[in-house]
Amino acid sequence: MTHARNSGTEQAWAALGGDPALLERIDGGGPAGVLPARLPVLELARSTVAVCALAAAELAARRTGGGSGAVPRVRVDDGAVGTAFLSERHLRIDGRAPATFAPLSRFWRTADGWVRTHANYPHHRARLLTALGLPDDAGADAVAAVLAGRRSVETEETVYAAGGLAVALRTPEEWAAHEQGAAIAARPLLTLDRTEGPGPVAPRRLAPLAAAPLLPAAGLRVLDLTRVLAGPVATRDLALLGADVLRIDAPQLPESQDAHNDTGFGKRSVSLDLRDRAGRATFEELLAEADVLVTGYRPGALEAYGLTPEALAVRRPGLVLAQVSAWGRYGPWHERRGFDSLVQVASGIAALEGGPGAPGALPAQALDHGTGHLLAAGILRALSDQHDEGGSRLLRLALGQTAHWLCNGVPRRPDAGTSETYDPEKYLGSVDGVTGRLRYALPPVSFAGGPTDWSRPPGRLGADSPRWRAVAA
């Protein structure tokens, strides 16, 4: 047993409301020197994976009729964790590396410091160029020339006002003094609350598990309204654990098949336009039979469709609603879009990880991956609680909260140094998919008797039928 007192795992499990006695079910190990950084990135990574695996093992015990003593042991391998936190970099499609950051998604020098932009999507690129007064075909040199004469915070505000994404580099002290940073610091890592509709909701009695491997989410239906990374990582975990995950994308929003090749394992993908009457009717039919709804769009974007916690508690009693955002649902930035790289810049992480005269970055998109595993853990914990108590549940996380935890809460441990024994190939799998031969990171979530890989490779985005699979009697 390698669990340490006041570890990140203990903190995360307490935030999830888990039984502290179950922490003794966690074993660890693996190579040293994984995810090296000035901040305790490896501790965050192993902690979020550990609580996800422990929540899965806890739910498996509920469904096999055992008590806490029957919770399977959890294994956290640092090599598997580190490889999975870099899954998008390890991915290969017929030997080809996926497309990652676009040319205009990067750090830029300004008149008084640095700013980072995010322009991977065409509409974000267009809005960035519009805000800077540049033509649609402008390249990096033109952007650099404009930003060199502008102040960082001015650029941040101008680009956001135009619907683009840009964040000024701040130190941890500057972020702590910022109104949004202070709002984040005043709140917990996550919230998991019970919500009620017009009447009581009986305990959820899931069918017993009998077959191997143990799939604690088997028979559960998950509507996945998330994009990019944190939300898709969470629903990828749920798919591993047996859930029927149906990803919904709007046809008018561009999305990357390469990204789906990384996070789409075990899922199906549907294209639905909620603005269209037929698309909305189909969505409502799916929602009526869903057990979990996961959303990752900017706060306010889905409320127009009646997807508020209060409305859902009435329309779908017993639903677990899980929401993830960049900046949280509070403070002056609560409706702003955001990505892992931008949260790193605002929160002081890029300043801490940088060197003299230049900002840096974490060795992985650890805010996305860590928040994703926490999100899955919270959903699994909600399902265990519902098994005993019934009711609906509301789970909320934000990348900004995870960043604050990394900088101020996750314990710093002595640097284990580099390791010549760490070989990521040991933690990679390969499979034939619809887009070619995929090399991919194997799942890091592991417990005794549980699954070791996903049941199916990713399909094409939007190519599946908008219907649930039949649940076995």
Side-chain angles (χ1 to χ4, degrees), residues 55 62 141 171 340 343 355 387 398-399 447 457:
R62 289 282 200 290
D141 290 345
T171 65
D340 181 305
V343 176
H387 187 275
L399 302 187
F447 60 92

Side-chain angles (χ1 to χ4, degrees), residues 94-390:
D94 284 338
R96 173 183 65 83
T100 53
F101 285 100
L104 300 189
S105 296
R106 47 169 272 197
F107 283 107
W108 309 86
R109 277 257 189 210
T110 62
D112 62 344
W114 295 87
V115 71
R116 179 148 191 171
T117 56
H118 195 287
N120 285 5
Y121 290 115
H123 58 296
H124 291 158
R125 181 183 187 278
R127 292 167 185 171
L128 170 65
L129 295 174
T130 297
L132 300 180
L134 292 170
D136 291 344
D137 60 352
D141 290 345
V143 172
V146 170
L147 290 178
R150 297 202 180 185
R151 299 176 67 82
S152 299
V153 173
E154 172 202 352
T155 301
E156 176 182 275
E157 295 301 325
T158 301
V159 173
Y160 263 103
L165 295 114
V167 170
L169 178 72
R170 291 176 172 85
T171 65
E173 295 75 20
E174 289 169 334
W175 184 238
H178 190 278
E179 190 176 349
Q180 186 64 37
I184 287 173
R187 286 168 171 79
L189 172 60
L190 57 90
T191 58
L192 176 55
D193 300 313
R194 183 166 177 157
T195 59
E196 297 300 342
V201 179
R204 184 196 300 271
R205 296 304 182 190
L206 298 172
L209 298 178
L214 290 174
L215 298 174
L220 293 166
R221 292 167 166 170
V222 178
L223 273 179
D224 179 4
L225 275 68
T226 68
R227 307 180 75 204
V228 191
L229 202 48
V233 164
T235 52
R236 184 177 64 183
D237 283 345
L238 298 178
L240 169 73
L241 299 169
D244 184 7
V245 178
L246 200 57
R247 172 172 170 153
I248 307 272
D249 281 285
Q252 71 272 18
L253 293 178
E255 190 52 284
S256 164
Q257 178 65 45
D258 278 0
H260 187 59
N261 284 339
D262 174 39
T263 60
F265 283 87
K267 308 177 189 178
R268 292 179 296 131
S269 170
V270 172
S271 178
L272 278 181
D273 190 347
L274 299 189
R275 304 170 305 175
D276 174 77
R277 180 177 297 179
R280 181 66 184 276
T282 300
F283 176 79
E284 292 294 334
E285 291 173 1
L286 293 170
L287 178 63
E289 296 184 346
D291 301 293
V292 179
L293 172 62
V294 190
T295 69
Y297 286 76
R298 173 180 56 85
L302 295 174
E303 276 71 5
Y305 302 104
L307 301 181
T308 65
E310 298 78 14
L312 288 167
V314 173
R315 291 159 61 194
R316 186 67 176 107
L319 184 74
V320 175
L321 173 59
Q323 299 175 324
V324 61
S325 62
W327 308 106
R329 293 172 176 265
Y330 39 78
W333 287 13
H334 71 280
E335 289 189 342
R336 288 194 176 189
R337 299 171 180 86
F339 295 89
D340 181 305
S341 59
L342 302 183
V343 176
Q344 288 189 41
V345 173
S347 64
I349 290 173
L352 287 170
E353 292 292 334
L362 299 177
Q365 294 187 68
L367 305 181
D368 266 330
H369 283 273
T371 304
H373 292 303
L374 281 175
L375 188 65
I379 292 167
L380 294 164
R381 285 251 56 252
L383 292 166
S384 284
D385 285 347
Q386 284 183 325
H387 187 275
D388 300 330
E389 303 171 4

